[in-house]
Amino acid sequence: THMAGQEEKPIIYTMENKPIVTCAGDQALFTSLYTSLAQQLPREPMEWRRTYGRAPKMILLEANFVQFKEELLPKEGNKALLTFPFLHIYWTDCCDTEMYKSSVKEDMMRWQNSLRTHGSSDWVIIVVETNDTKKKNKTNILPRSSIVDKIRSDFCNKQSDRCVVLSDPLKDSSRSQESWNSLLLKLRTLLLMSFTKNLGRFEDEMRTLREKRTQPGWSFCEYFMVQEELAFVFEMLQQFEDALVQYDELDALFTQYVLNFGAGDTANWLGSFCAPVRNWSGLLLRRPIDMEKRDSIQRGEASLLDLRSYLFSRQCTLLIFLQRPWEVTQRALELLHNCVQELRLLEVQVLEGALDCWVFLSCLEVLHRIEGCCDPAQLAANCSHTVGLWAAAHTGTVHHGVPEPSGLDFTLHFNSLQSPYKKLKEALSSVEAFERHYLELSHAAMEMYQAIGRLRSARLVGKSLAEFYMRKGDPERAETFLQEALKSYVSEGWSLPVTHTRRQVAECQKLLSKTEDYLQTSALLAGDVNLTTDERKHFCQEILSFTGKSGDQSHKVTLSMGVFAQLTQLKFHPAAASVHSGAVLQVELTLRCLMPVSVRIQQLVASIHFEVDHGGTHGRSKGAQRRTHPGTVVFRQSNSSAGPPSSAGAGPSLELDEIQDRSPSDNSLNSTGVICKNTHLLMRRHDSNSPPDTPNCISPPTVGIKEGAQMLKVQDVTLEPGNNSITFTAPPGTYTLRQLCATVGEVQFILPHIYPSAQYEVYSQEPQLTVEPLSEPLLAGLPQKVKFTLLTGHYTVKKGDALQLSNTETMPILPSTSCTARISSPTSELVGESTLSIQSSEKVTSISLPPAPPYHTLEFQLEVLCIIPSGADRPANERLTNGEVRHRPRSYSHPDTPMTAIDQRMSIDCPWSIYSTLLALTFYIPFKTKHSLLSAGNRKYIQVCVQNVSDVNFALAEVKLTEKQHASLELQSLNTKTQQLLCCKHSVFCLWEVRWKDDLPSCLQCVFSANFSPLSQDISAYKPFHYQFQLERVTTLYSVKAEIFPPAGEQRCRSGVLCGLEVCITRLTEPAEGEIAEDSKTETDGPKTTKLMYEVADSSSNWAVCGKSSGMVLMPMTANATHKVQIEVMPLFAGHLPFPKIKVLKYLPHTAAVAIQPDPDSCVENDSLSLLDKTLDDQGDTASIRSRGSVHSVGSGDQQQKGVAMPRLEPFSPGQVFNHSHACQVLVLPATDDHIMEVNAT
Amino acid sequence: MNTNMAVCIAVIAKENYPLYIRSVPTQNELKFHYTVHTSLDVVEEKISAVGKALGDQRELYLGLLYPTEDYKVYGYVTNSKVKFVIVVDSSNTSLRDNEIRSMFRKLHNSFTDVMCNPFHNPGDTIQSKAFDGIVSGMMVQTA
C-alpha cells in the first residue's frame, strides 16, 4: 500500500510523514524485506549530533521507502524538504558475475549517474545473500565476496562502507540477525549523516534568505514557507521542540516587523497584512495544519488574523504534542491581546464587532481544544490561564454591546459546524440567546476566579454582570453583585471604586425602593469628597426631600450617624467634668457635618445613662477624658467612605496594664507582664469582616435610640458643613454619655455607641473647712497668718452662724482689728466682702460668719501665735472645752527642715455639724538653743548658744539669764551688746559669770530669755523667747595639774628620751552632802576617802607612756588634799608638744549601788560606763552629760543592773574637775644635733 | 517622547489599600483604580508562589502581572509587602523589561526616602513632592 500510495500524492501533510528513502534495483527483493526493514529501523534510537552547538539528541528513525524515480530527485532551487529523498538504496541479490557484468552493473551505473546529476551523494548498495541463491546457481558460483568486491571497486571509490551485505535475511539465525543489525546501524548512520548534511545546507540557505530581509522585494510569506518546511521536517522527525522554535522565530520576526511598522519603519510586504479584515472565523485548532490558511499565506493573500491564526494553530499543535497544554492557554491570551494591538498598530480596518467575534470564537476554540486533551487535575492546576480566557471571552461578549447584536453585518463562513461557531451563531441569532450565553460565560468566569482565589477579579466580573443586570432592568440581582464588590473595596480602602460602586448601589436601591438603604447610601455619597459638589448636593437633596415628605409619623427612618456627621470631640466645661449641683456643667460636642450644604436639625439628643456605682466618688473625672486633655474626649474617626483603613487610624486604642505575679510567701516577683484590658473590642475587629464602627454600607444600623433614657437635648440646630459646636447643659447626677441622635424630619441619624466613654458628674457637696498657712513654713514664736477656707457646699451660711474655736494656751489666736472675709462664687468671682467679728472668751474664740450662699467659698485670715515651748517644764494635761484630753503638742524633728516641728491641733465647732472639726497646723521653731558650763578653777561661767535654723534673719535683744532658786547667786553678764543680729544659719553665743557668796549650789535652775523679731520689723514686734535648763554638780571638786620635767641634767626634753610627768590632783572643796552619802557607804570607818582613777592617754601619739598609764588614787575628802603621781613618758617627736591628756574618773567599787540618776524625761539609761568597753576621751565636751545618757546605750548595762556587781568608773560632771594644764605645751628638742637634714635645691 | 512612559503608577500598602495612585490625567482614573485593584490578585498569587519557592531570597520584581487589550500591568513588591504597580499602555512597545525594572527601582528608592522622613507616619498616604516628581518623570507626558 505504501508503494501504491506514493504515486498518487507525493506530499502528504499528516503525521504519517516520514523521511523518504528511495529504493532502486531488485524491487521484488526489496518488497520481500520491506516489512522487517520498516519495523526494525525505528527500534533503536541513534544519537544525532547537531551543528551550531545544538545539543545532541537521541532520535528514533523511521523511513518511508519509495520506489526510485528520477522525478523524485529535487530539482535545482526546489526548497521542499518534506519531499526530499534523504537516502537512496540500490538492492541486489546478484551472485553471478556474468549477470552482474551484463545487466546489474549497467543498471547501477544509470542509477549512480542520475544521482550524481542531482548532486545527491547519500546512497548505499545492499547486496542480499541467501543460501537459496547459492544453491540455484551452483555452477557459476563465485565467492560472494568477489561480487561485493567488484561492486565496491566499481562504485565505492573510497567509501567501501557504501556497499553492505545482508545475509540470509529471512532466516532466524544469529548470523542473519547480526547481519540485519549491522545493516540497520549502517542505514541509521547514513540517514543521520544525510539529515545533518541536507538540513544544514537548508538552514544555511534559509539564513541567507533571512539576511536579505532588508532588501526590496523580500517577502515574509515566502520566507515563512521556507522556515516552515524546516519545522515540518523537525516535526516529521518528532523533534517538536525544534519545530516549535521555528514557529516561535517566525512569530518573533513578524512581531518585530509590526512593531517597527508602528515605529514608522515600513516593509512593503506588510501591505498585504494591512488589508481590511474580511474573515474573522477564529482559530482553528482541531486540524494539525489548516491548509486553507496556509495556502493563503503561500499566495501572499493572508490577512493578519489569518497569519496569526495559522501560526498559533501550529504552535498549539506542537505544544499539545509536547504535552504543555496550559501553555496554549497562556499563549492564547497573549495572542488575543497582541492581535488586537497589532491590528491597531497596522491601522487595519476591522468591521465593528468582528474582532470581538474573533476573540470570542478563538477563546472558545482554545478552551474546547484544551479541555479535550487535558485531564481535569491538570486543568485545575493551570486554570489561572484558562480563567483569563474565560474572562477574555466574557469581555469579548461585552464589547458586542448588548442591545443590538443583530445589527452586525455577518459574513462569517460557517462552513464547519463546530461548537464555537454554533455558539456564536446561536448567540447572535437573538437577544435572549445572546444574554443567556453572556450570563453563562460571566458566571463561568466568576466561578473560576473564585475557585483560584482571585476574588478581586471575580468581583470585577460580578460588577460588570451587575451593570448588565441594571441595563436589563433587574436591579435586585445587580445589587447583590455590587454590594459584594463594594464590601471588598470598602474593606481594602479603595475610595474611588467605592464611590463609583456606591453610586451604582444607590441607583439600584432607588429603583428597588429600599428607602432606608437608599437614604443611607445617599448620605454616604453626599459626604463623599470624590464626587463633585453638585453630585453631593443631589444626594443630600434626596435625603432632605424625603425628610420633607409629610409621611406617616410612626415610620421614621433610622440611619447611622456616621454617614451624616462625625462626632469628633466632646468637651466638658469645667474640664473636671465634675461639678456640684449648684454649678453649671456644660457638654460641648463637636460634630463634623459631612453634608455639602447646611442641614437644619429639629432635635439633637444625647442619651445618658445613670451610673449607680460611682455615686460616692465625686470630684474625680473618669473614663477617657482624664487621660491627656482633662475634660476633652477626642473621637478617632474610622474613615468609612474614603481613605486607608490603617491599623492605627481605626478601632479602639490598646488599653494596657502591667501585671505582676508575686510569690505569696516572700513577695518576690515571679513573673510580670502586660495585659490588654479591652481585648474584646480589639479582637472583634479582626474576627468579623465588617468593623463594628464602620458605618456599614450594606445594612443600616438596627440599634435605635433607647426609649425612656434620660437625654440631653437641643432643639433646632443648623449644622453647617464642617465642624459644628453644640452645647448641652448637664442635669445633676453621675452619667455616662451613651448615644447621639439627630432628627431631621422623618430621618433619625443615630450614633449607637459613644466610645471612648465620657462620663460627667454633678454632685452634692458637704461643707468643708480647711485651714492652711498663708505662707510656708509657719514659725513658732511669731504671729503667723493662717487662712481659713470654707466651701459652703450645700449649706447656706445664715446670719449668726459662727465658728467656735477652742482656745489653747500654746497657740492663742491674736485679736485683730480688721479681719475681712471674702465670699466668692464657684467660678472664683468675688461676690462680697465683710468684716468678721471675733469674740474671745477664756476658753473659746467665736468667729461670726457673714451669710453666704451654697457652693460658695468663704475665706478669711487669722493671726495665731504658737508659743515656743521653753524646754524643761511640762504642763499637766489640759482638758479642752469639749472634754477631750489635750495632748501637749510634742515637738519632733522634721526630715525636710533642720527646724523642730510642732503640730498644733485646733478643734472647731461648726454650725452645720454636731461634730467638732479637728484641724492641725504645723509650726517650726526657728531656734536651736544649747548651753554649757565653763570653769576656770573655782570660777564658773555659763554659756548659751542660740542658733538660727530658719531662713529668716532675726534681731535678738535683751538677752538675759536668771537663776530661779538661789537669790544670793549673781549672774554677771559678760555680753556687751544689747541687740544682736542673728542671721539665718548663724549662731549667737552669750556668756555669764556665776558669782556666789557662801556656797555654790550644786544645782542651778536657769532660764535664758531673749526678745526676738524678724529683722525687717520694728521694736514692737519683739517676741519673747525662753529657754530653761538645769545645771547640776557645778562645784569644782578637784584640780588636776600636770608638769613635765626634762631628764636629769638636761635643760629641755628631748625626743626619744624619757622624761617625767608629774600629775598633781588637789581636792578643792570640803565634801558636799551628796558626796558623803555616796562614799560613806564604801568607807564606813576610818578617814573619809574617795577613790579616783587617773589615766594618761595620748590620743595624738605624741607621747609614749612608759609603765602604768593609769592608776588608782585614794583621795582624802578634805580641802587641799593633794596627791601626786609620777609617770615616765617619752616624747616621740620634737617641737612644741601638747601635754598628754589626763583624765580623772570616779572609781566606784563593786559594792557601790548603781547610782541611778532620775532623768526628767524618764530615760532609763544611766551614765555609768564600763571599764572594759568605753574609751574615755570625749567626756569633757560642753554638752550636757544627760544628753549623752539618753543617746548611748552601753551594751552590758542591763546585766550590770541585774546584780553582777563590778567595779565601775563614773565620769565627773563637767566643771567638777578642773584641768590646769589643759592646753599646755612643752618644748621637745630633737634627739641629737647631728641628724642630717637633706635639702635639695634645684 | 520620554522613554519612561507609564500611564498609571500605584503604591499599595501591605493591607492592600492604596498609599499612592496616580494616572495620566486625561484617561479614566477610575478604570486604573479598578485595574490596579484587580492586579492585586495576581500580585498575591505571585508572592505566595515565590515565597514558597525561595524563602527570603526572593526577587522583588514580579514581572508582567497580566496583559489586557489596552494595558500591561507590572508588579513589584518590597520586603515589607508594599506593592508597586506600573501600568503601561499596550501600544507602548518600546519599553523593555529592564526599563520597567529600573522604573520600579527608582520608585522603590524614592519610596524609601519617603519612609525615612521622620514626619511621615508609615501607613499614611504618600504626600511627598519628591515622590511626586519621581512619579511624574515616569509618566506619559500629556501636553
Side-chain angles (χ1 to χ4, degrees), chain A residues 12-33:
Chain A
I12 308 158
Y13 293 101
T14 62
M15 277 317 298
E16 278 78 53
N17 274 343
K18 286 168 191 167
I20 290 169
V21 177
T22 64
C23 299
D26 190 341
Q27 290 300 315
L29 174 66
F30 167 66
T31 311
S32 69
L33 295 173

mmCIF file of all heavy atoms in Angstrom, chain A residues 12-33:
data_model
loop_
_atom_site.group_PDB
_atom_site.id
_atom_site.type_symbol
_atom_site.label_atom_id
_atom_site.label_comp_id
_atom_site.label_asym_id
_atom_site.label_seq_id
_atom_site.Cartn_x
_atom_site.Cartn_y
_atom_site.Cartn_z
ATOM 1 N N ILE A 12 2.191 14.500 1.613
ATOM 2 C CA ILE A 12 1.046 14.287 2.491
ATOM 3 C C ILE A 12 1.324 15.019 3.798
ATOM 4 O O ILE A 12 2.270 14.694 4.516
ATOM 5 C CB ILE A 12 0.835 12.794 2.790
ATOM 6 C CG1 ILE A 12 0.793 12.005 1.480
ATOM 7 C CG2 ILE A 12 -0.465 12.588 3.567
ATOM 8 C CD1 ILE A 12 1.119 10.554 1.690
ATOM 9 N N TYR A 13 0.506 16.020 4.065
ATOM 10 C CA TYR A 13 0.744 16.785 5.285
ATOM 11 C C TYR A 13 0.011 16.153 6.445
ATOM 12 O O TYR A 13 -0.987 16.643 6.916
ATOM 13 C CB TYR A 13 0.324 18.235 5.086
ATOM 14 C CG TYR A 13 1.210 18.923 4.092
ATOM 15 C CD1 TYR A 13 0.817 19.123 2.777
ATOM 16 C CD2 TYR A 13 2.472 19.357 4.497
ATOM 17 C CE1 TYR A 13 1.639 19.749 1.880
ATOM 18 C CE2 TYR A 13 3.305 19.979 3.589
ATOM 19 C CZ TYR A 13 2.887 20.176 2.283
ATOM 20 O OH TYR A 13 3.722 20.793 1.399
ATOM 21 N N THR A 14 0.470 15.051 6.833
ATOM 22 C CA THR A 14 -0.116 14.402 8.010
ATOM 23 C C THR A 14 1.019 13.998 8.912
ATOM 24 O O THR A 14 2.193 14.156 8.580
ATOM 25 C CB THR A 14 -0.917 13.140 7.631
ATOM 26 O OG1 THR A 14 0.006 12.225 7.024
ATOM 27 C CG2 THR A 14 -2.046 13.462 6.712
ATOM 28 N N MET A 15 0.627 13.439 10.024
ATOM 29 C CA MET A 15 1.653 12.976 10.934
ATOM 30 C C MET A 15 2.347 11.732 10.435
ATOM 31 O O MET A 15 3.346 11.311 10.986
ATOM 32 C CB MET A 15 1.045 12.722 12.321
ATOM 33 C CG MET A 15 0.925 13.958 13.160
ATOM 34 S SD MET A 15 2.384 14.980 13.051
ATOM 35 C CE MET A 15 3.594 13.864 13.721
ATOM 36 N N GLU A 16 1.787 11.142 9.388
ATOM 37 C CA GLU A 16 2.421 9.920 8.859
ATOM 38 C C GLU A 16 3.645 10.232 8.011
ATOM 39 O O GLU A 16 4.281 9.336 7.490
ATOM 40 C CB GLU A 16 1.402 9.107 8.042
ATOM 41 C CG GLU A 16 0.500 8.235 8.898
ATOM 42 C CD GLU A 16 -0.614 9.034 9.555
ATOM 43 O OE1 GLU A 16 -1.326 9.749 8.832
ATOM 44 O OE2 GLU A 16 -0.738 8.954 10.787
ATOM 45 N N ASN A 17 3.941 11.522 7.897
ATOM 46 C CA ASN A 17 5.131 11.866 7.129
ATOM 47 C C ASN A 17 6.368 11.233 7.729
ATOM 48 O O ASN A 17 6.594 11.294 8.929
ATOM 49 C CB ASN A 17 5.333 13.387 7.131
ATOM 50 C CG ASN A 17 4.538 14.031 6.028
ATOM 51 O OD1 ASN A 17 4.111 13.344 5.104
ATOM 52 N ND2 ASN A 17 4.328 15.323 6.141
ATOM 53 N N LYS A 18 7.163 10.646 6.820
ATOM 54 C CA LYS A 18 8.435 10.071 7.260
ATOM 55 C C LYS A 18 9.475 10.470 6.237
ATOM 56 O O LYS A 18 9.133 10.746 5.080
ATOM 57 C CB LYS A 18 8.328 8.538 7.302
ATOM 58 C CG LYS A 18 7.493 8.036 8.481
ATOM 59 C CD LYS A 18 7.166 6.572 8.318
ATOM 60 C CE LYS A 18 6.125 6.170 9.354
ATOM 61 N NZ LYS A 18 5.545 4.858 9.038
ATOM 62 N N PRO A 19 10.722 10.446 6.643
ATOM 63 C CA PRO A 19 11.765 10.768 5.671
ATOM 64 C C PRO A 19 11.719 9.780 4.496
ATOM 65 O O PRO A 19 11.547 8.573 4.701
ATOM 66 C CB PRO A 19 13.062 10.607 6.463
ATOM 67 C CG PRO A 19 12.676 10.556 7.888
ATOM 68 C CD PRO A 19 11.245 10.208 7.972
ATOM 69 N N ILE A 20 11.857 10.340 3.343
ATOM 70 C CA ILE A 20 11.735 9.486 2.156
ATOM 71 C C ILE A 20 13.079 8.815 1.849
ATOM 72 O O ILE A 20 14.137 9.465 1.849
ATOM 73 C CB ILE A 20 11.248 10.318 0.956
ATOM 74 C CG1 ILE A 20 9.782 10.699 1.192
ATOM 75 C CG2 ILE A 20 11.427 9.557 -0.348
ATOM 76 C CD1 ILE A 20 9.263 11.718 0.219
ATOM 77 N N VAL A 21 13.010 7.501 1.597
ATOM 78 C CA VAL A 21 14.180 6.731 1.178
ATOM 79 C C VAL A 21 13.789 6.018 -0.115
ATOM 80 O O VAL A 21 12.756 5.360 -0.164
ATOM 81 C CB VAL A 21 14.567 5.690 2.248
ATOM 82 C CG1 VAL A 21 15.732 4.831 1.781
ATOM 83 C CG2 VAL A 21 14.911 6.393 3.561
ATOM 84 N N THR A 22 14.549 6.234 -1.175
ATOM 85 C CA THR A 22 14.183 5.598 -2.440
ATOM 86 C C THR A 22 14.876 4.244 -2.573
ATOM 87 O O THR A 22 15.946 4.017 -2.009
ATOM 88 C CB THR A 22 14.601 6.473 -3.641
ATOM 89 O OG1 THR A 22 16.023 6.557 -3.641
ATOM 90 C CG2 THR A 22 13.995 7.861 -3.536
ATOM 91 N N CYS A 23 14.218 3.383 -3.282
ATOM 92 C CA CYS A 23 14.768 2.050 -3.482
ATOM 93 C C CYS A 23 14.862 1.761 -4.972
ATOM 94 O O CYS A 23 13.858 1.822 -5.687
ATOM 95 C CB CYS A 23 13.873 1.003 -2.830
ATOM 96 S SG CYS A 23 13.739 1.258 -1.066
ATOM 97 N N ALA A 24 16.038 1.463 -5.415
ATOM 98 C CA ALA A 24 16.224 1.073 -6.810
ATOM 99 C C ALA A 24 16.678 -0.379 -6.836
ATOM 100 O O ALA A 24 16.897 -0.979 -5.786
ATOM 101 C CB ALA A 24 17.259 2.000 -7.439
ATOM 102 N N GLY A 25 16.837 -0.932 -8.014
ATOM 103 C CA GLY A 25 17.329 -2.298 -8.121
ATOM 104 C C GLY A 25 16.205 -3.316 -8.129
ATOM 105 O O GLY A 25 15.151 -3.077 -8.732
ATOM 106 N N ASP A 26 16.452 -4.385 -7.401
ATOM 107 C CA ASP A 26 15.532 -5.517 -7.445
ATOM 108 C C ASP A 26 14.324 -5.227 -6.571
ATOM 109 O O ASP A 26 14.383 -5.315 -5.344
ATOM 110 C CB ASP A 26 16.283 -6.765 -6.940
ATOM 111 C CG ASP A 26 15.480 -8.036 -7.182
ATOM 112 O OD1 ASP A 26 14.241 -7.917 -7.378
ATOM 113 O OD2 ASP A 26 16.098 -9.114 -7.127
ATOM 114 N N GLN A 27 13.212 -4.829 -7.191
ATOM 115 C CA GLN A 27 12.017 -4.455 -6.440
ATOM 116 C C GLN A 27 11.416 -5.635 -5.703
ATOM 117 O O GLN A 27 10.946 -5.496 -4.571
ATOM 118 C CB GLN A 27 10.961 -3.850 -7.394
ATOM 119 C CG GLN A 27 11.348 -2.483 -7.932
ATOM 120 C CD GLN A 27 11.548 -1.456 -6.827
ATOM 121 O OE1 GLN A 27 10.747 -1.363 -5.922
ATOM 122 N NE2 GLN A 27 12.650 -0.725 -6.923
ATOM 123 N N ALA A 28 11.498 -6.788 -6.316
ATOM 124 C CA ALA A 28 10.917 -7.970 -5.671
ATOM 125 C C ALA A 28 11.656 -8.301 -4.388
ATOM 126 O O ALA A 28 11.057 -8.627 -3.369
ATOM 127 C CB ALA A 28 10.953 -9.156 -6.643
ATOM 128 N N LEU A 29 12.960 -8.190 -4.521
ATOM 129 C CA LEU A 29 13.800 -8.456 -3.341
ATOM 130 C C LEU A 29 13.449 -7.497 -2.205
ATOM 131 O O LEU A 29 13.242 -7.872 -1.059
ATOM 132 C CB LEU A 29 15.273 -8.301 -3.739
ATOM 133 C CG LEU A 29 16.293 -8.398 -2.597
ATOM 134 C CD1 LEU A 29 16.302 -9.805 -2.021
ATOM 135 C CD2 LEU A 29 17.659 -7.989 -3.064
ATOM 136 N N PHE A 30 13.346 -6.198 -2.577
ATOM 137 C CA PHE A 30 13.044 -5.200 -1.545
ATOM 138 C C PHE A 30 11.671 -5.467 -0.919
ATOM 139 O O PHE A 30 11.521 -5.418 0.304
ATOM 140 C CB PHE A 30 13.085 -3.804 -2.152
ATOM 141 C CG PHE A 30 12.485 -2.772 -1.249
ATOM 142 C CD1 PHE A 30 13.093 -2.466 -0.026
ATOM 143 C CD2 PHE A 30 11.290 -2.151 -1.580
ATOM 144 C CE1 PHE A 30 12.532 -1.551 0.806
ATOM 145 C CE2 PHE A 30 10.735 -1.226 -0.729
ATOM 146 C CZ PHE A 30 11.356 -0.907 0.473
ATOM 147 N N THR A 31 10.693 -5.746 -1.768
ATOM 148 C CA THR A 31 9.345 -5.983 -1.261
ATOM 149 C C THR A 31 9.353 -7.107 -0.236
ATOM 150 O O THR A 31 8.672 -7.037 0.793
ATOM 151 C CB THR A 31 8.395 -6.324 -2.421
ATOM 152 O OG1 THR A 31 8.558 -5.351 -3.448
ATOM 153 C CG2 THR A 31 6.943 -6.341 -1.960
ATOM 154 N N SER A 32 10.172 -8.113 -0.483
ATOM 155 C CA SER A 32 10.184 -9.239 0.465
ATOM 156 C C SER A 32 10.783 -8.812 1.814
ATOM 157 O O SER A 32 10.467 -9.377 2.844
ATOM 158 C CB SER A 32 10.981 -10.399 -0.134
ATOM 159 O OG SER A 32 12.357 -10.050 -0.185
ATOM 160 N N LEU A 33 11.643 -7.823 1.774
ATOM 161 C CA LEU A 33 12.310 -7.423 3.023
ATOM 162 C C LEU A 33 11.690 -6.184 3.666
ATOM 163 O O LEU A 33 12.031 -5.808 4.779
ATOM 164 C CB LEU A 33 13.797 -7.135 2.735
ATOM 165 C CG LEU A 33 14.603 -8.329 2.287
ATOM 166 C CD1 LEU A 33 16.005 -7.878 1.873
ATOM 167 C CD2 LEU A 33 14.706 -9.355 3.416
#
